[in-house]
């Protein structure tokens, strides 16, 4: 069995609940980054999630613990990212924190998987988008909570194909 770890940072619970759903699909428990240790960043597939706060910033617990990710040896490791944001209220910085996680993981040698199309979202700008693709899974419980479960389901299936 592949070793899958899901690490999240969440202030009001939205990212926590998405992380729990993603982790359950892999039969594991999600880890709150506030309690994470360096060991938690060692996995066959590392799934990292953050909401965006301030204007385009990492969630607070991620901001405190980002050095754990920066110092992880992710060479050749599969990493996928997901983010929660508000594409209407923060249209210029939608899910920027997910972009920060992806960039940091790539700097550590990660093989980033799980990119998704940005089509159909209503934001105007995002640090998590390149060439029309999000670097991971973008969720929006403020405006489109009804889409969250199906978006997670489709994304998880895609990630699982990389483990076979
Ligand atoms: C003060 C404040 C700042 C926010 N800044 C952003 C932002 O820059 N970009 C974004 O996409 N969402 C932003 N959001 C929306 C949150 O990311 C969103 O509500 C998210 O679901 C919170 O997830 P959490 O409960 O897991 O922390 C902001 C929300 C608040 C209240």
């Amino acid at each position: 069995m592949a070793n899958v770890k899901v690490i999240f940072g969440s202030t009001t619970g939205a990212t926590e609940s998405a992380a729990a759903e993603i982790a359950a699909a892999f039969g594991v428990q999600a880890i709150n980054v506030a309690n994470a240790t360096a060991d938690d960043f060692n996995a066959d597939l590392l799934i990292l999630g953050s909401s965006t706060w301030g204007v385009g910033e990492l969630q607070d617990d991620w901001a405190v613990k980002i050095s754990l990710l920066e110092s992880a040896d992710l060479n050749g490791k599969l990493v996928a990212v997901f983010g929660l944001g508000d594409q209407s209220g923060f249209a210029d910085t939608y899910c920027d924190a997910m972009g920060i996680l992806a960039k940091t993981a790539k700097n550590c040698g990660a093989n980033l998987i799980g990119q998704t199309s940005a089509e159909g979202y209503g934001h105007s700008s995002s640090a998590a988008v390149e060439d029309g693709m999000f670097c991971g899974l973008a969720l929006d419980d403020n405006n489109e909570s009804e889409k969250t479960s199906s978006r997670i389901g489709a994304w998880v299936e895609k990630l699982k194909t990389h483990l076979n």
Side-chain angles (χ1 to χ4, degrees), residues 15 30 41 53-54 59 67 73 78 84 98 111 149 155:
T15 311
F41 288 78
W53 284 86
Q59 187 272 342
S67 61
D73 178 6
L78 297 177
L84 273 284
M98 173 167 76
N111 175 11
S149 272
W155 191 61

Side-chain angles (χ1 to χ4, degrees), residues 61-143:
D61 299 309
W62 264 118
V64 170
K65 292 291 202 72
I66 194 67
S67 61
L68 286 181
L69 178 59
E70 287 167 346
S71 55
D73 178 6
L74 300 177
N75 270 307
K77 296 276 177 65
L78 297 177
V79 175
V81 293
F82 68 99
L84 273 284
D86 175 351
Q87 64 194 290
S88 166
F90 295 89
D92 288 343
T93 54
Y94 177 55
C95 282
D96 275 13
M98 173 167 76
I100 297 171
L101 291 182
K103 197 170 164 193
T104 309
K106 274 206 269 189
N107 285 343
C108 298
N111 175 11
L112 201 71
I113 61 169
Q115 291 84 357
T116 61
S117 171
E119 220 168 278
Y121 289 79
H123 63 282
S124 47
S125 173
S126 171
V129 173
E130 205 176 303
D131 296 332
M133 297 290 285
F134 281 112
C135 54
L137 176 67
L139 300 171
D140 183 346
D141 276 7
N142 294 72
N143 304 291

Side-chain angles (χ1 to χ4, degrees), residues 15-27 30 148-153 156:
T15 311
E16 180 169 17
S17 101
E21 210 169 318
I22 293 164
F26 288 99
T148 293
S149 272
S150 59
R151 282 174 169 162
I152 288 175
V156 161

